[in-house]
Amino acid sequence: MVERFPEDFIFGGATAAYQAEGATRIDGKGRVAWDNYLKENYWYIAEPASDFYHQYPIDLDLCERFNINGIRISIAWSRIFPKGYGEVNPKGVEYYHRLFERCHEHHVEPFVTLHHFDTPEALHENGDFVNRENVEHFVNYAEFCFKEFTEVNYWTTFNEIGPIGDGQYLVGKFPPGIQYDFEKLFQFHHNMMVAHAKAVNLFRTHNIKGEIGIVHALPTKYPLNPEDPKDVQAAELEDIIHNKFILDATYLGEYSDATMKGVKHILKVNGGTLDLREEDFEALRAAKDQNDFLGINYYMSDWMKAYEGENIITHNSKGVKGGSRYALKGVGEREFNVDIPRTDWDWIIYPQGLYDQIMRIKQDYPNYNKIYITENGLGYKDEFDVEQQTVHDKARIDYIESHLSAIQEAIRDGAEVKGYFLWSLIDVFSWSNGYEKRYGLFYVDFNTQQRYPKESAYWYKRVAEQKHL
Ligand code: BGP
C-alpha cells in the first residue's frame, strides 16, 4: 500500500534573511554583527548571497511551479529597526509587505521567523541576549511586526536558540567568537527563552490572529556504548546543552530537576553561575501551553563518549571529512568515526534520529500541539552540469526521502507532524562554511543569480503533487 501524507501536509522550502537576501547596505538596513565578522574571519561575505531581496518574485514563481506550498522566511530585524529599537525604517516595512503579498499570490504560505541569527549590531555589541535589556527590545520588535504584518498567519519567534549559543559561546565560530563559556551559553539560552515566552504572551493578550511557535534545532544524542554509564551520562549532558534545557523552558515553564542537575554539574566543572529569576519563570509558565506549534530543525545525530580532558573544539569549516573535534570537559566527546554515513562536514546522517526526536517530544512534552519539520537537508559540494543545466544530486534525494520516510513512521505512530520545509529552497551561503556548502533545490549561480532546478527539485515536485514517496 502506498502511504500518503495528510492532505493538508505542507511541502515547503526554507530560507533566512541574512543568508538569502544580500542587499545588506541598501534601503536603510542597519548593520548586524555578521557584517564585520565575516569580513574579518572568513573568506566570503553576505553579498551577493542569493539576492533574494530582488529575486524573490522569481523564487516564488518557482515554488508555485514545483508544488512548493510553504516557505520559511525571516524578517531582518535591522531592516525594520536599523538600531534594533527606536525609529522604524519604512522601506524595510514596505519590502516585507511586498514579499508576503507575493507569497500569497503564488499560494505559498509564508512561515515568518522574527530572528534568524541576526541581532542588530548595536544590540549584539551590547551583549546580545546575555544582556537582559535586549529581551525587551526583542519583544517590542515582535509586537511591531505582529500588528503591522496582519497578512502573516504563522509566526516563529526564534530560529535555533541552541546553535546560536553554541556558535557564539562554545565553538566561537559565530560573532563574538567566544569559546567554552558555559555561563554565557546557558544565560543566553535562558534569556532568549524568556524573550520567546514574553512575545507569545503578548501575542495572546493582544489577540493577534494566526499561530505562533518556536524553531529548535534538535540533534539526537546517543551513547557510543549504551552499556557504559559514563557514555550514557555524556549523551545526557549533551542533550541538556543542546535540547533539553530549551525544551523544558518551552513546554514545562521551568527546568526539571534532572536538567538542573546536569547544568550545575557542567558549571561546576567549567565555572559560572546563572541569574534565573522568579519573574522569568512566571513568563515561561504563562507561555508553556500557548505554543501552537514546534518547529524542529533536524540534520544529524551524535554519538557521545565520556571525556574529562580540557575543552577542545575544532570546527570543520571547509568540509574536509574527519576535520572535526568536539570535546567538552566533564561533558563528553563526539565520536564522528561511527559506522554510519556522514557529510564532508562530519554531520552524521541518521533519519532514525529524527523519528526518535519526534517521539521524544510526543512523550516528554505532550503539550507540543503539532510539529513542523522546519529544516532538514543535505549540505553538499554540488557540481553543476553545464550541458544539462542541472545538478545530479541523487545523494540529496536519498537524504530527503529517508527523512520523509522517518516522518511518515512518526505520523503512523501518532505524532502530529504537519509539514516539512527543506533547507534550503534555493542555494544560500552557509554561516560558517561559505558558498561552497549548498543545500538548495534550485542551484544558484552566484555570479549571474540565475536559478536552475536540480534533480531533487523535480523529485520533490512529484512527491508534493502525489503526496507520497
Ligand atoms: C541551521 C540554520 C540555517 C542553516 C542550516 C545549515 O542551523 O538555521 O540557517 O545554515 O542550519 O547549516 P550550515 O549552513 O552550517 O550547514
Side-chain angles (χ1 to χ4, degrees):
M1 192 191 88
V2 174
E3 196 168 353
R4 290 175 63 83
F5 286 92
E7 266 323 297
D8 58 354
F9 196 84
I10 290 183
F11 285 93
T15 68
Y18 196 67
Q19 288 170 285
E21 287 176 358
T24 55
R25 307 299 291 266
I26 65 169
D27 289 348
K29 185 181 191 298
R31 297 183 63 77
V32 297
W34 285 97
D35 293 340
N36 269 340
Y37 195 78
L38 288 182
K39 217 182 281 171
E40 286 165 10
N41 296 281
Y42 289 97
W43 63 97
Y44 53 91
I45 55 170
E47 297 282 359
S50 322
D51 193 32
F52 186 73
Y53 193 73
H54 301 106
Q55 309 287 334
Y56 70 86
I58 289 171
D59 295 331
L60 290 167
D61 183 54
L62 281 171
C63 284
E64 187 168 16
R65 290 200 282 122
F66 280 77
N67 300 328
I68 294 164
N69 61 350
I71 183 171
R72 277 190 73 214
I73 286 173
S74 75
I75 296 178
W77 181 351
S78 71
R79 281 198 200 282
I80 308 293
F81 292 101
K83 284 196 306 206
Y85 60 92
E87 223 164 284
V88 173
N89 171 33
K91 287 200 169 157
V93 176
E94 283 157 27
Y95 167 68
Y96 288 108
H97 276 305
R98 286 199 303 277
L99 172 56
F100 300 146
E101 190 186 350
R102 189 60 81 113
C103 289
H104 290 301
E105 278 168 24
H106 284 283
H107 314 291
V108 182
E109 187 67 49
F111 278 63
V112 178
T113 304
L114 289 167
H115 180 281
H116 194 127
F117 294 13
D118 57 349
T119 304
E121 186 175 61
L123 306 187
H124 200 277
E125 280 178 355
N126 197 17
D128 204 0
F129 282 92
V130 176
N131 180 347
R132 284 170 178 271
E133 269 174 34
N134 292 329
V135 170
E136 297 315 316
H137 292 317
F138 175 79
V139 176
N140 293 337
Y141 155 62
E143 179 175 6
F144 175 86
C145 291
F146 294 155
K147 293 183 174 164
E148 176 67 35
F149 299 110
T150 52
E151 64 273 46
V152 172
N153 299 314
Y154 296 90
W155 288 102
T156 24
T157 51
F158 291 108
N159 176 74
E160 295 196 351
I161 288 176
I164 320 174
D166 181 62
Q168 296 194 172
Y169 306 114
L170 287 188
V171 185
K173 65 181 175 180
F174 290 3
I178 295 170
Q179 284 197 306
Y180 318 133
D181 190 330
F182 283 95
E183 176 176 299
K184 282 203 169 63
L185 175 87
F186 285 119
Q187 194 66 52
F188 178 84
H189 286 171
H190 173 76
N191 292 354
M192 279 183 108
M193 281 311 311
V194 173
H196 161 77
K198 287 188 170 178
V200 168
N201 295 336
L202 185 143
F203 191 87
R204 294 294 175 224
T205 49
H206 290 243
N207 277 319
I208 309 290
K209 83 163 182 37
E211 299 192 358
I212 190 159
I214 187 163
V215 168
H216 289 318
L218 302 175
T220 312
K221 308 288 180 178
Y222 301 99
L224 187 61
N225 176 2
E227 307 297 320
D228 182 343
K230 288 194 169 156
D231 288 6
V232 171
Q233 195 198 16
E236 278 170 11
L237 292 172
E238 263 267 299
D239 184 56
I240 289 172
I241 294 173
H242 297 276
N243 305 324
K244 207 164 181 289
F245 189 72
I246 50 182
L247 283 170
D248 280 5
T250 312
Y251 291 112
L252 306 181
E254 61 187 20
Y255 304 111
S256 71
D257 292 345
T259 300
M260 271 329 278
K261 196 171 157 223
V263 171
K264 282 182 185 152
H265 165 79
I266 295 166
L267 291 176
K268 194 167 163 229
V269 175
N270 289 277
T273 50
L274 299 182
D275 173 16
L276 311 177
R277 303 179 187 171
E278 181 45 35
E279 73 214 46
D280 303 342
F281 292 106
E282 275 165 28
L284 290 171
R285 277 193 296 268
K288 76 182 176 65
D289 298 318
Q290 303 294 332
N291 297 284
D292 293 298
F293 61 89
L294 169 66
I296 296 181
N297 292 358
Y298 176 84
Y299 290 90
M300 64 186 137
S301 291
D302 292 302
W303 273 262
M304 300 300 303
K305 58 187 181 193
Y307 179 78
E308 298 300 334
E310 290 306 310
N311 291 311
I312 307 174
I313 298 179
T314 315
H315 176 56
N316 170 8
S317 67
K318 295 265 170 113
V320 179
K321 211 181 238 180
S324 309
R325 182 98 196 263
Y326 198 104
L328 293 173
K329 190 175 172 178
V331 177
E333 172 162 14
R334 294 181 191 168
E335 176 58 67
F336 297 99
N337 204 9
V338 286
D339 194 18
I340 304 175
R342 66 185 199 272
T343 72
D344 287 347
W345 291 265
D346 299 312
W347 291 20
I348 297 174
I349 302 172
Y350 193 63
Q352 176 72 32
L354 175 56
Y355 172 86
D356 290 347
Q357 195 62 257
I358 294 171
M359 298 318 275
R360 175 261 190 105
I361 299 292
K362 181 174 175 323
Q363 185 181 315
D364 294 354
Y365 305 102
N367 53 340
Y368 72 95
N369 281 325
K370 60 180 172 174
I371 289 170
Y372 292 94
I373 305 306
T374 35
E375 279 182 37
N376 173 247
L378 180 67
Y380 208 76
K381 295 169 188 161
D382 286 342
E383 275 178 41
F384 188 66
D385 180 334
V386 181
E387 215 163 278
Q388 297 189 27
Q389 301 275 288
T390 189
V391 176
H392 307 289
D393 55 347
K394 171 95 173 51
R396 182 167 293 112
I397 294 172
D398 290 348
Y399 182 100
I400 305 171
E401 183 168 33
S402 58
H403 286 83
L404 280 172
S405 172
I407 294 168
Q408 283 190 319
E409 201 185 327
I411 295 175
R412 200 186 312 133
D413 291 344
E416 291 288 332
V417 187
K418 295 299 197 182
Y420 176 88
F421 293 79
L422 181 77
W423 182 268
S424 47
L425 176 67
I426 47 176
D427 286 338
V428 297
F429 78 88
S430 160
W431 298 98
S432 57
N433 312 280
Y435 289 84
E436 292 79 12
K437 191 181 190 187
R438 293 172 182 264
Y439 284 89
L441 282 178
F442 300 100
Y443 184 89
V444 175
D445 177 331
F446 291 110
N447 294 314
T448 62
Q449 293 300 339
Q450 275 285 340
R451 274 72 169 141
Y452 302 89
K454 301 179 191 174
E455 275 184 12
S456 56
Y458 294 102
W459 178 86
Y460 198 62
K461 177 176 193 265
R462 203 265 306 148
V463 173
E465 187 181 4
Q466 301 179 352
K467 300 221 180 318
H468 65 75
L469 293 171

